[in-house]
Amino acid sequence: MRVSVDPEMCYASGECALRVPSVFTAVDGLGAVIPGREETAADEPQVRDMAERCPSQAIRIQ
Ligand code: SF4
């Protein structure tokens, strides 16, 4: 499993970096996964929860 943020969909609410700073960050205002955390974080409950909470549905777990 792998977590990612679709920059085309993200509308820069900043919520993911605020709520789960161990996994998400902001790059040029857009949400992003911290490099190296894409696979290690994909199964974390807080990441799944954030994917559901993201107001633009930009967080993908595949
Ligand atoms: S919570 Fe969603 S919309 Fe907000 S910065 Fe993160 S990915 Fe973008």
Side-chain angles (χ1 to χ4, degrees):
M1 301 292 278
R2 183 178 178 86
V3 60
S4 61
V5 174
D6 181 344
E8 300 289 319
M9 291 185 69
C10 171
Y11 58 60
S13 72
E15 231 176 302
C16 54
L18 188 69
R19 290 181 185 269
V20 193
S22 61
V23 178
F24 297 100
T25 187
V27 177
D28 295 333
L30 298 176
V33 178
I34 293 172
R37 293 290 275 139
E38 297 90 345
E39 292 176 8
T40 57
D43 289 328
E44 293 179 13
Q46 60 185 352
V47 172
R48 293 184 170 276
D49 185 56
M50 195 59 242
E52 288 177 15
R53 284 171 177 258
C54 169
S56 66
Q57 300 293 295
I59 299 173
R60 305 273 167 75
I61 299 173
Q62 297 170 314

